[in-house]
Every structure is written in structure tokens, then in C-alpha cells.
Amino acid sequence: MRRRPSGSPIEDESEPTASGAPGDLIIDGDREGRPSTSALRLDGAFGPDNRVQRREEKGNNTKPRNQADWKPSQDIHNHTEKQHLQDDMIPFAKGAAAAMDMSESRRLRRSRVRSPWSCSLLTIATAALSALFLFFIASSFSNRQLDSKGCNMSYMRPAFAKFSDFDTEHTRFASKYSLYLYKELGVDEDPVVKGVPVLFIPGNAGSYKQVRPLAAEACNYFHDVVQHDEAALHDGTRSLDFFTVDLNDDITAFHGQTLLDQAEYLNEAVAFILSLYHDPQRSKKRDPNLPDPSSVILVGHSMGGIVARTMLTLSNYQSNSVNTIITMSAPHTKPPVSFDADIVRTYKHINDYWRNAYSQKWANNNPLWHVTLISIAGGGLDSVVPSDYASLSSLVPDTHGFTVFTSSVPNVWTGADHLSILWCDQFRKVVIPALIDIIDVRRPSQTKQRAERMRLFKKRFLTGMEPIAERALPQQEPTTLLTLEDNSNSIISQGERLTLRVLGNSGKPKAHLLPIPPQGFPRGKKFTLLSNQKFDAPGENGNLEVLFCSVFPLQAGHAATLFSMNMDLSGNSSGSTRLACKNAAPDEILLPASTPTSKYPFDGVPPFHYLQYSLEDLAEHQFVAVVDKAPEPTSGWVIAEFSGQQESTVNTGVGLWRLLLAGIHVRLPAMRPLMMDIKVPAIHSSLLAFKLSLGKQACGDEAQLFTPLLRQYIPEPFESKYHVNVKDVDINQHGLSPFMPSPLRGKASRNGLSLQLWSDPTCESAMDVSLTIDIPGSYGKLWMRYRIAFAVFPIMVVALVLRKQFKIYDETGVFITFSEGVDLCLRTSLPVLLLAMTFLGMSLTSSGTAGRVSPGLSPFTWRHNATESVIDYTKNDLLLGSQDPFFWFLVPLFGLISIGIAIAVNYVGLLLVQILSTIYNLLVFRPLWLRNDDRRALRIAQETRSGNHHNFYNYAHSILILMLWMVPITAPVLIVWFHNLVAHWLTPFSSHHNVLSVAPIILLVETLTSGSLIPRVTNRFRHITDALFFTLAIFASIYGITYAYLLYHFVNLAAAWLVVIHFSTSDISLANLSKVLELDGNEEKEGGKKIP
């Protein structure tokens, strides 16, 4: 009795004998089924002892003995029954009693082995555990750690003017794409160009009409605000001409060639747009004294942002025609999916171009030196593109661009999903003023210089507390002369806090002076001021003005000639002190208001106003003057103080494992500064979510000037989230993420998460802060970062199962079911492979550095003579893309989930085949004696109970499962091809003509439809089958997520090898032909004797 490698007996009537079962590649062998050493064995080629029989069979026009046909005839049924009888007679040679006892168990065993629906308890347990983890991930993603939606709807009255003359004379894509100019009805309806050109680029399958919210706001903002500002108009500010392109809803996320086509078209569109400003008829309302525009501002949404960056890398790009790019929810670092080879290669080319440009030492060698790039991400609400991919840290230095989240942008303070980032009313009211700020029509580029553009973008988009935020105070000149009485008692003692609970008590303006500590003062590290009142700029008449002053010894008669503002609070007294002051309004930081009734930071109530300076920023001043200008008592309040770095910062220093096991519990002292900064460097991963709880202060909500306000932030990218009226909040971030490349310069930031807490210090009450991990909430973070893994990792399982099936088939002649193959792999190869992959991942994390390594592990590059100074941007492409050793468990976790998914797809395939087979038999009405010819392998195997038909069905079903897993990889290109047909764009792209990419699979399917069971390979060539499927499994697990498109080529190669095996039994195969010629040549040398 033969046994499988697992030890279980194989009892099937198709067990090989000396004569060879149909479908086997065994011609010569002993009674045990072992091939003789003298036989030729790759393709069943005959030796000298069986060539006569082959020729006789050929002369009788019969099929070779080693080719199985699933289309039975009546004599096949008789032969099958005889074969059953012969096999059942074998035990009688050992004893009739034993045969009677074992006959029933054999029948049950044979039925269980052949049933494709059967599965072991181990398979059931694995599938159930996998389903449980999948449920946790899906439930967490849908219900836990969700950011609040706060975007208000925007409204507009759009009109579009199409440029029909932008035709084939200008671009070869004129029949596919179109160019439009936006106009707002009732505000600007004249279809001429008169402002600064801005080109909007829609994203994947996006519409040109998505420009409406931004363009409408641009028209209204200029009409209502800018055109009434004489100073702005004098400085070169003008309106924006919003152009947009109809890209025919092209699918750029799936196809690299489509992305390149759009970039080529848009470069030609930019040239056409600039030519419009040279046409007197189309620019008749533009000031003729102004220079014609030489550049266009680009605004790209989603993949439109990638198209914008691609434009600058193409040969038809006009130098300096683009100097400002703003992208929204654009995946800059990695393609959203890696199923298309062109999109992966295009991304690599684009990113390499930008990195190399900004790596140049001299500006003259950098073609992108004048370009500013701002990437804006929507955060956790974006479920289409991971916001981690919007990071520019590996592409652009902070002198030329940065990444910011909408939750950080002042007066927005909310996340945005993939589409709402375009129509979010709060957000567009920040983007358009930012674009207006950088306009200067007096220059040919139509924009301010790069450094000034960056400063203005930082002012509009950043919170003002980031390390790269610029302070205006050191660059200002004194504008206000403050005159005070000499006997004024409003000077606060050194080190004391200024607290004004009510403004306007004195009924007249009053200045409160805080002495600025000298450099090196132990407590003098930082100045902070918080108020619910707006800070007045020079000349404004509000309730509060903050000034930074120095003693001014000039005589009173000269004051008016040196200062634009003179604030005399001396009361006409003879003795007075004069201070030369700078206004702090330009450095005002807006914070969401936090009151007992606050629920969200985007509630729409007036914000808090905050100032924060280091002592170095105030080195040239002696006083901070807080001027209460309220004419009567108001509800306004002010808190200002100088605090030391040590007393305002809490460094937890807790490791991640301790944090996960016990959490962090911090008690803030009663006598604490206005703002406390709690730093948790252990929290830097985007895969973990946490819960924060804040204890109540003893004075209660009503006695506090404001309720606690929390800002969570990370240093890179610039992501801040505000939590008002804090009690219990969810904490999650977009920190270090899987598959992200190394930063462009320097090491990756490991500062981790910081929690900035503002609380009322006048309450003088201790406060407890607790931070614990949210394990259920962390499950959902895996979905957005590892979506492709759910489509790629199961291919590893299918490859190993096929490897096991072919190995057993070549050894025993039995092609086991897919379910039994899964069971055998669960006991052997799958645990070993997952364990090896886990150790590989751990070794990579222990040996990896923060970005500066020797040659990368990309399958396409091998850098010789690399040194430690080379930055490897592909080091996170392996496995699950994480360099954090804490996440070693993700490899076996996704392996377990993938096994369950593969099992589920197998049974879904079985069910579909069963349903389609039933429908087919119901629809085809033929006589019983004719119906056999049209039955498929499943029906025949069920009715004939033939071992070969069961083998063929199991083989065909396993190939079907493998092909089903190729659908996600091949479908995107097919979708693009079909979309182009619908759009009547018949120009083919290169992949249409690559016959080799589809021929092996087509031939393999053809052999299946002919009913031919693949022959067995019993010699050393069987190791090729083993190696092909094992290589497919290894590549799927290591590089599958990053280079998923290569999996199709591996499957194509495996299909080609299976076709070779199929054709090896054909009389016209190359192997047979070569061996026949070789034999004939040997016979001629022996004297020309031939076998009759």
C-alpha cells in the first residue's frame, strides 16, 4: 500500500501499475511504479523497447496510452468498472477476510479523498481564526478611531468656456481631452483672460467640473475683498484665471501610460494657455503695461498631483513654465496599487528625477530650484488613498515644500475625505487666499520669489508652532511709540503670571508690562500668551493689543516722524516713559475655542488667539506690553507668562512594550504653566491607536476661563489634531508608515507623538493624564496600509498548494483536491515559510538603519561600490514594509489571514462551478446518449467515479483558483483598455502587442478545454515545477505588495512550463522530435538497420 508524505494511505483505482495509468508520464517501470533507469523521461518519449508499440498505435490512429480524455464513451464506462473490479481484487491476494473488513472503510476513504468539499479540522480552525481577524479589522476600520467630519458644503454658479481651437494642430490628444476656462455667473462672465493663470488637474476618473468650488471662491474672494484693497493691488495682486481639463474620466491610478499621456497633453495645454495672454483679443482687459505670464500655477487633486509633477520631467516641458504646485490627497511616494508595471516604473522615474534635482549642490544644476510644492492630505477620513503617501519628506527639502494635513490648517481643523477636500468650504477659503497672497503680476512668473512664496504658504497652512514656522517679529521695525506714566504700577514682577479675567475694568486703555528675562535666566525659556480676543494690528481699534517694546530715549517732539502709531497712555503727565514697540499681530496663532459647551474644533465659534516665542526671539526687547483697550467691561480674558523648558515639558521615556502593557499615567502639578508639552517618543507608528483620558480640575468647568484644549502633533509630516473640552479622546496619527521611503536628507525623525495641553493655570488644581493603547482600534489601521496584501499574500498560499499537488501527483499519480493540499501545507510548508519570513523581517529590522545603507534590496537594482552615505529609498519595499521590530507578528498574522482568504475563495470557486454546471445541464436538453459529450469534468467525475477524471477535475480547479487570483492584477489594465474603447480612443499602448504576456496562459486554458490531464513528470525535471511554484510563493511574500505586477509574469512562466509538459506527450513536440532524430542518427551509424 502506497502512502503520501503525510503518512496517510493512497487508495485509488488510478494507482500506477507496470502498464502505466492514462495520463502518467511513466513508460517503463517495475510493479511498484518506479521508473527504470534506462527509460527516457521528460515527456514520455519512448525508448527502443516501446517504439514499435507507438508506431503501431499511430498506424491504428489511436490516442497514446499516456493521454487522458475527460470525454467518456460507453466502453470507457465498462473499462472503468473493470478497473474498479481489478483494484478491489488486490486485497484478496492477502486474504479474503481482511478485504471484507476493509472494503467499507476504503470506500468511505476514497469518497472523502475525492470530494473537493471535504476539509480537515485543522483547515476549519485556520479558516475560522482568519475570519475572526478579518472581522476585527473590518469592524475596527468602520467603527473605531474615526475622525469627525466637519466640512461645510460650498455653493457656486458655474459656467465653462471651451477652447475648441486647442485642436490637433497643438496636441495629438485633442480628440480625447479638452481645455476649459471657468467663469462664475453673476460675478465674472466675460470669457477673456485678465488675471493669473491657474490650471486644475482632476485625479483618477475625475471630472473637469471638480474645479468649481475653488474657482468660484477665487472669483468671489477677488470681487468681495481684493479689488477693494488698494495696497494689495499696488503690490501686484490680481484675480485668478482658473483653467481646467476634461481628461475623459481617465483611470490614471491603474495605468502608467495613461498618466504619461495626460502629462504630455497638459504641457501642451500650458503652452496654449500662456499663448492666450499674447492674443490681444483674448486678453483685452489685461493691463498692457504688465509683462505677459511665463508660468502657470498647477492645482492637482489625487493622481492629478502626480501628473503635475510628471509634467516637469517630460521632454515637451517648457522650462520655468511651472513654479508653484499645490496637490490635494495626492499619493506622492508610492502608487496606490502596484498591479501595473508602467505605473510602478513611472513613479520610480518621477521620484528619482525630483530627488536627484534637489540633491544637487548648486542651484544652477537644479532644474526645480524655482519650484514650490505643497502637499495637503485629508487624514484618516480619506479611505481611497492612504494619507501617508502624501508625504514629501523623501522628495522635496523643506526649503521648497512641505506636507500638511487639513486638520492642522488654521480655521479648518477637520479631516477631509478624498472628494470633500475639493468642496470643503473652510478649506477652500484658506487655499484661495494663499494663492492670492503669492501673486505678483509685476514679475513675468506672476508670482513672488520662491522664499517669499514658502513663507506665505507656511503662514496660511501651518499652525505656527512647527519648527520651520517663521516669526515676523525679528524682521519687523518698530511701528508704535508707547508712552506711559513714570509712576505706573502696572509692571508685573519678574517671573509672575499676568491674568486678566475681565477686560475693560478701568474704562480706558491700560498697558500691563511683563519684563522680559535676560538671556540665560533659569526660567526664561519661552513666552506664551492666550486670549479669547483678537490681537489688534497697528491702527485697529479692538479690545486687545500686544506689543514687544524697548526703551526709546528720543525726545517727544520727534516721535511722530519716526513711528506710524503713537499710543500715549501717560494721561498728560509731565514724567513719562517712552517705549519703541513692535506689534505681535503678524505672529498670531489661531487655536480652536475650548469652552464647556465645545464639542468639535470646527464648531464655528470665534477661535482663541495665541502667541509663543522663544527667549532668543525676544533678545532685543525689554518688555511685553499687553494693552487692554476695551472701553467697558467685557468677557475677554488674557493669560501671559514666561515659563521654563523643564517645567513645561514632560518626557515620558517609556518604552513601547511598557506603554502597551501598562499605559502612561502622568499627574500634572497644580502650579503648572499655561501650556504643558507631554512627549511620548515611543509612539511613532501609524499602525497603533490610543485612548487618552483627562481628569477634571477641582475648580470645575464654570470657574475656569476655558476648558482644557489638546493638540496632538508629530514633527514630520506636519499633522496636528485639536481636541476641545477634553475628557476622553481617540489618538491616532500618520507617523512612520509601512513602505515609506527614507527622508531626502538626514535621518528619519524619531521624536514620536507630542501632546500639547492648554489648561487654566489659575485653577491651581492637579490634573491626571492617562494614555493607553486601543487594540481594537489599531486593527482598523491595517486596512489602509495593507490593502494590497489581502490580494497578494493569498497567491503565496495558492502557489504552495499547487506545489504540493504536483509533487504528490508526480510521485503517486493522484492529483489531490485543493482542500487536501491546503491541509497538507498547513502541516508542513506554510508554517515553515511563514516562520522563515518572520525571521527575515526581524533580521531586516535589526540590521537596517534610518535610511543610509549600502546597496538596496530592490529586485531591479544592484548598486556596486555603494557606501554608507547612499540613501536607499527601497529599503522598506520588502515583506510588509516596516523597519520596526515591534511589528514582527504582522507576517504570521497576514499569513494566517491569507490562508483563510485562499480557503474561502476555493469554496466560492467550487460553488460557482457547481451552480454554473447545474445551469448548463438544465439549459442543454439532449438525449441521454448524446449528453455525455457536453458534460464537464465535474459531472463526469461524479458519474463515472474514474480516478483520472477526478484528477483532471482537481487539476483544472486548482488552475482556476490560480487564475482567479490573477484577476486583481490584470483587471486594471483591462479596465483602462475598455474605457479607451468607450471613449473612442483607439491608439494602442505597448502592452496590447505583447503576445508573450498572454500566450502561455491561453495555451494552458486550451489544453484544459481539450480535456487533457497533464502528464506526470517522474525524473529530475519535476523539480522545475516545484521550483517555479516555490519561487512564486517566495516572491509573493517578499516583494508581492510593492511589485505585484511581477506575480503575473511568474504565473505566466509557470503556465508556459505546464504547457511544455502538456505538449511533451504530443507526437509533434520538440522534445520527441529531437529524440527521434537522435535515435535515427544512432541507427544509421550502426549500419542503417531499422526496427520493423
Side-chain angles (χ1 to χ4, degrees), residues 62-288:
T62 59
K63 294 184 178 180
R65 291 184 302 140
N66 59 345
Q67 181 171 343
D69 193 342
W70 57 262
K71 296 182 179 180
S73 60
Q74 188 64 33
D75 58 341
I76 292 179
H77 284 285
N78 295 335
H79 171 75
T80 303
E81 295 298 329
K82 291 179 182 180
Q83 185 67 32
H84 279 298
L85 180 59
Q86 292 174 3
D87 290 342
D88 291 339
M89 289 297 292
I90 295 175
F92 283 97
K94 301 180 181 179
M100 294 177 61
D101 293 337
M102 298 177 61
S103 60
E104 182 67 14
S105 62
R106 284 191 176 190
R107 185 182 65 81
L108 295 175
R109 167 66 179 167
R110 189 182 304 121
S111 175
R112 185 185 71 82
V113 170
R114 289 177 177 173
S115 174
W117 294 91
S118 63
C119 62
S120 65
L121 291 177
L122 177 60
T123 303
I124 295 175
T126 303
L129 192 58
S130 172
L132 183 63
F133 281 115
L134 274 176
F135 172 78
F136 284 156
I137 292 174
S139 176
S140 175
F141 178 73
S142 303
N143 304 313
R144 291 181 175 272
Q145 292 283 335
L146 301 180
D147 294 342
S148 301
K149 298 180 179 180
C151 281
N152 298 328
M153 182 57 69
S154 54
Y155 300 93
M156 67 290 299
R157 292 172 290 177
F160 294 91
K162 183 178 180 179
F163 292 97
S164 300
D165 52 342
F166 185 45
D167 51 19
T168 54
E169 294 184 1
H170 298 87
T171 174
R172 64 188 180 100
F173 299 99
S175 61
K176 186 179 183 182
Y177 304 142
S178 304
L179 179 65
Y180 293 87
L181 175 64
Y182 180 91
K183 291 297 177 179
E184 181 75 359
L185 296 178
V187 178
D188 183 12
E189 302 180 11
D190 196 354
V192 297
V193 294
K194 53 187 176 182
V196 176
V198 179
L199 177 60
F200 173 79
I201 308 173
N204 179 62
S207 169
Y208 70 97
K209 296 180 180 180
Q210 290 176 324
V211 74
R212 292 174 297 181
L214 293 174
E217 177 63 22
C219 292
N220 292 321
Y221 183 74
F222 182 81
H223 180 269
D224 299 337
V225 178
V226 178
Q227 71 174 354
H228 305 294
D229 188 344
E230 294 295 335
L233 295 176
H234 181 267
D235 291 338
T237 304
R238 293 295 185 273
S239 62
L240 301 177
D241 293 331
F242 259 93
F243 296 84
T244 181
V245 284
D246 181 6
L247 298 177
N248 220 338
D249 300 337
D250 262 353
I251 304 173
T252 51
F254 298 159
H255 197 244
Q257 185 58 49
T258 301
L259 189 151
L260 293 174
D261 290 347
Q262 290 187 3
E264 179 184 342
Y265 170 80
L266 288 168
N267 274 331
E268 293 160 347
V270 166
F272 179 81
I273 290 171
L274 293 177
S275 70
L276 297 176
Y277 293 83
H278 297 274
D279 187 346
Q281 296 299 321
R282 285 178 164 170
S283 60
K284 56 186 177 181
K285 292 190 176 182
R286 182 178 172 84
D287 188 349

Side-chain angles (χ1 to χ4, degrees), residues 503-582:
L503 296 180
N505 272 336
S506 62
K508 62 179 182 179
K510 182 177 181 180
H512 303 270
L513 300 183
L514 280 79
I516 297 176
Q519 295 292 321
F521 188 74
R523 294 169 51 87
K525 299 296 183 182
K526 180 169 50 181
F527 171 76
T528 54
L529 183 149
L530 182 66
S531 175
N532 62 348
Q533 300 293 305
K534 180 181 178 297
F535 303 145
D536 284 352
E540 295 182 344
N541 296 315
N543 293 332
L544 183 65
E545 187 168 352
V546 180
L547 304 170
F548 291 87
C549 306
S550 302
V551 176
F552 187 71
L554 195 64
Q555 298 297 323
H558 301 281
T561 61
L562 297 177
F563 299 95
S564 59
M565 292 297 300
N566 186 3
M567 186 179 297
D568 189 353
L569 305 182
S570 63
N572 296 323
S573 62
S574 57
S576 60
T577 300
R578 294 175 179 83
L579 302 176
C581 302
K582 299 179 182 179

Side-chain angles (χ1 to χ4, degrees), residues 904-1035:
V905 171
N906 171 52
Y907 283 103
V908 169
L910 288 172
L911 182 62
L912 289 176
V913 171
Q914 189 74 43
I915 294 174
L916 294 176
S917 177
T918 303
I919 295 175
Y920 177 82
N921 284 282
L922 291 176
L923 294 178
V924 179
F925 296 97
R926 293 191 179 184
L928 182 61
W929 58 85
L930 296 176
R931 200 179 300 170
N932 280 338
D933 291 339
D934 287 332
R935 288 173 177 164
R936 293 297 182 254
L938 172 63
R939 189 65 179 270
I940 294 174
Q942 292 173 343
E943 293 189 358
T944 64
R945 300 184 62 196
S946 168
N948 283 313
H949 291 131
H950 275 286
N951 285 345
F952 176 74
Y953 172 71
N954 294 337
Y955 165 63
H957 177 74
S958 297
I959 296 299
L960 171 64
I961 296 301
L962 180 63
M963 296 305 168
L964 285 178
W965 283 108
M966 291 297 102
V967 172
I969 298 176
T970 57
V973 175
L974 182 62
I975 293 173
V976 174
W977 177 76
F978 180 76
H979 176 270
N980 285 344
L981 289 182
V982 173
H984 304 290
W985 181 254
L986 304 181
T987 302
F989 38 83
S990 58
S991 57
H992 285 169
H993 305 287
N994 192 350
V995 178
L996 295 179
S997 66
V998 294
I1001 292 179
I1002 292 176
L1003 293 175
L1004 179 61
V1005 173
E1006 182 63 25
T1007 60
L1008 292 173
T1009 57
S1010 66
S1012 299
L1013 176 63
I1014 188 170
R1016 293 169 58 195
V1017 182
T1018 59
N1019 60 2
R1020 63 182 181 275
F1021 289 100
R1022 69 181 183 273
H1023 299 303
I1024 297 179
T1025 309
D1026 187 277
L1028 285 174
F1029 285 109
F1030 186 73
T1031 303
L1032 174 61
I1034 293 296
F1035 190 89

Side-chain angles (χ1 to χ4, degrees), residues 733-1042:
Q733 61 177 353
H734 293 82
L736 295 182
S737 300
F739 306 106
M740 295 297 291
S742 304
L744 185 64
R745 297 173 182 173
K747 295 184 178 181
S749 174
R750 285 279 181 171
N751 293 330
L753 177 71
S754 295
L755 303 172
Q756 207 167 5
L757 179 65
W758 290 269
S759 60
D760 186 358
T762 63
C763 198
E764 297 184 356
S765 171
M767 181 180 294
D768 294 323
V769 181
S770 298
L771 184 68
T772 56
I773 187 172
D774 181 9
I775 295 179
S778 300
Y779 275 109
K781 304 305 175 185
L782 297 175
W783 170 249
M784 287 301 297
R785 280 81 182 182
Y786 291 113
R787 290 180 297 180
I788 299 180
F790 294 103
V792 169
F793 261 48
I795 298 177
M796 171 196 69
V797 181
V798 174
L800 289 179
V801 171
L802 278 165
R803 173 177 173 266
K804 177 65 69 174
Q805 288 178 300
F806 276 102
K807 185 175 183 180
I808 293 178
Y809 175 62
D810 290 336
E811 291 176 353
T812 67
V814 177
F815 205 97
I816 61 175
T817 64
F818 189 89
S819 301
E820 190 170 1
V822 171
D823 180 61
L824 293 176
C825 290
L826 283 174
R827 303 173 189 274
T828 53
S829 55
L830 274 171
V832 173
L833 179 60
L834 292 178
L835 184 63
M837 294 300 102
T838 302
F839 280 112
L840 174 62
M842 296 176 65
S843 66
L844 292 174
T845 59
S846 62
S847 62
T849 60
R852 296 185 177 272
V853 297
S854 54
L857 297 174
S858 169
F860 308 107
T861 58
W862 182 263
R863 292 192 290 269
H864 297 280
N865 299 324
T867 64
E868 292 295 320
S869 62
V870 177
I871 300 178
D872 182 15
Y873 297 104
T874 64
K875 72 184 184 69
N876 289 332
D877 289 349
L878 295 174
L879 290 174
L880 294 177
S882 176
Q883 290 283 316
D884 194 335
F886 174 79
F887 295 104
W888 65 268
F889 61 88
L890 288 181
V891 173
L893 174 63
F894 276 98
L896 175 64
I897 293 175
S898 301
I899 294 171
I901 295 176
I903 294 172
V905 171
N906 171 52
Y907 283 103
V908 169
L910 288 172
L911 182 62
L912 289 176
V913 171
Q914 189 74 43
I915 294 174
L916 294 176
S917 177
T918 303
I919 295 175
Y920 177 82
N921 284 282
L922 291 176
L923 294 178
V924 179
F925 296 97
R926 293 191 179 184
L928 182 61
W929 58 85
L930 296 176
R931 200 179 300 170
N932 280 338
D933 291 339
D934 287 332
R935 288 173 177 164
R936 293 297 182 254
L938 172 63
R939 189 65 179 270
I940 294 174
Q942 292 173 343
E943 293 189 358
T944 64
R945 300 184 62 196
S946 168
N948 283 313
H949 291 131
H950 275 286
N951 285 345
F952 176 74
Y953 172 71
N954 294 337
Y955 165 63
H957 177 74
S958 297
I959 296 299
L960 171 64
I961 296 301
L962 180 63
M963 296 305 168
L964 285 178
W965 283 108
M966 291 297 102
V967 172
I969 298 176
T970 57
V973 175
L974 182 62
I975 293 173
V976 174
W977 177 76
F978 180 76
H979 176 270
N980 285 344
L981 289 182
V982 173
H984 304 290
W985 181 254
L986 304 181
T987 302
F989 38 83
S990 58
S991 57
H992 285 169
H993 305 287
N994 192 350
V995 178
L996 295 179
S997 66
V998 294
I1001 292 179
I1002 292 176
L1003 293 175
L1004 179 61
V1005 173
E1006 182 63 25
T1007 60
L1008 292 173
T1009 57
S1010 66
S1012 299
L1013 176 63
I1014 188 170
R1016 293 169 58 195
V1017 182
T1018 59
N1019 60 2
R1020 63 182 181 275
F1021 289 100
R1022 69 181 183 273
H1023 299 303
I1024 297 179
T1025 309
D1026 187 277
L1028 285 174
F1029 285 109
F1030 186 73
T1031 303
L1032 174 61
I1034 293 296
F1035 190 89
S1037 59
I1038 297 180
Y1039 283 109
I1041 298 179
T1042 305

Side-chain angles (χ1 to χ4, degrees), residues 142-455:
S142 303
N143 304 313
R144 291 181 175 272
Q145 292 283 335
L146 301 180
D147 294 342
S148 301
K149 298 180 179 180
C151 281
N152 298 328
M153 182 57 69
S154 54
Y155 300 93
M156 67 290 299
R157 292 172 290 177
F160 294 91
K162 183 178 180 179
F163 292 97
S164 300
D165 52 342
F166 185 45
D167 51 19
T168 54
E169 294 184 1
H170 298 87
T171 174
R172 64 188 180 100
F173 299 99
S175 61
K176 186 179 183 182
Y177 304 142
S178 304
L179 179 65
Y180 293 87
L181 175 64
Y182 180 91
K183 291 297 177 179
E184 181 75 359
L185 296 178
V187 178
D188 183 12
E189 302 180 11
D190 196 354
V192 297
V193 294
K194 53 187 176 182
V196 176
V198 179
L199 177 60
F200 173 79
I201 308 173
N204 179 62
S207 169
Y208 70 97
K209 296 180 180 180
Q210 290 176 324
V211 74
R212 292 174 297 181
L214 293 174
E217 177 63 22
C219 292
N220 292 321
Y221 183 74
F222 182 81
H223 180 269
D224 299 337
V225 178
V226 178
Q227 71 174 354
H228 305 294
D229 188 344
E230 294 295 335
L233 295 176
H234 181 267
D235 291 338
T237 304
R238 293 295 185 273
S239 62
L240 301 177
D241 293 331
F242 259 93
F243 296 84
T244 181
V245 284
D246 181 6
L247 298 177
N248 220 338
D249 300 337
D250 262 353
I251 304 173
T252 51
F254 298 159
H255 197 244
Q257 185 58 49
T258 301
L259 189 151
L260 293 174
D261 290 347
Q262 290 187 3
E264 179 184 342
Y265 170 80
L266 288 168
N267 274 331
E268 293 160 347
V270 166
F272 179 81
I273 290 171
L274 293 177
S275 70
L276 297 176
Y277 293 83
H278 297 274
D279 187 346
Q281 296 299 321
R282 285 178 164 170
S283 60
K284 56 186 177 181
K285 292 190 176 182
R286 182 178 172 84
D287 188 349
N289 297 320
L290 296 175
D292 293 328
S294 63
S295 67
V296 176
I297 299 173
L298 301 182
V299 177
H301 172 245
S302 186
M303 291 300 295
I306 309 305
V307 174
R309 289 179 50 222
T310 307
M311 293 168 58
L312 279 65
T313 67
L314 299 185
S315 58
N316 70 333
Y317 168 67
Q318 183 178 331
S319 180
N320 296 330
S321 61
V322 173
N323 67 9
T324 302
I325 303 176
I326 294 182
T327 66
M328 305 174 187
S329 299
H332 288 288
T333 57
K334 308 286 282 187
V337 292
S338 57
F339 296 153
D340 177 58
D342 286 344
I343 195 71
V344 175
R345 285 193 288 263
T346 301
Y347 256 86
K348 184 179 185 304
H349 171 72
I350 298 167
N351 290 344
D352 287 347
Y353 180 88
W354 282 68
R355 287 169 183 149
N356 292 335
Y358 286 116
S359 299
Q360 300 300 317
K361 182 177 181 180
W362 304 106
N364 291 337
N365 298 328
N366 182 2
L368 304 177
W369 180 256
H370 63 287
V371 178
T372 55
L373 174 61
I374 309 300
S375 175
I376 306 172
L381 291 178
D382 191 344
S383 59
V384 177
V385 173
S387 290
D388 311 274
Y389 290 0
S391 174
L392 299 177
S393 60
S394 66
L395 300 170
V396 179
D398 54 19
T399 56
H400 290 74
F402 56 85
T403 304
V404 66
F405 286 68
T406 56
S407 58
S408 304
V409 179
N411 286 323
V412 179
W413 297 321
T414 179
D417 62 44
H418 199 66
L419 293 179
S420 67
I421 197 171
L422 287 172
W423 53 257
C424 185
D425 189 53
Q426 303 101 302
F427 179 61
R428 69 169 184 163
K429 289 180 177 178
V430 175
V431 173
I432 295 304
L435 290 176
I436 294 290
D437 286 347
I438 66 170
I439 298 302
D440 186 355
V441 295
R442 299 170 298 179
R443 306 179 75 243
S445 65
Q446 304 293 287
T447 59
K448 294 180 171 64
Q449 294 183 355
R450 178 189 55 81
E452 181 65 10
R453 295 199 306 271
M454 285 298 300
R455 186 188 69 81

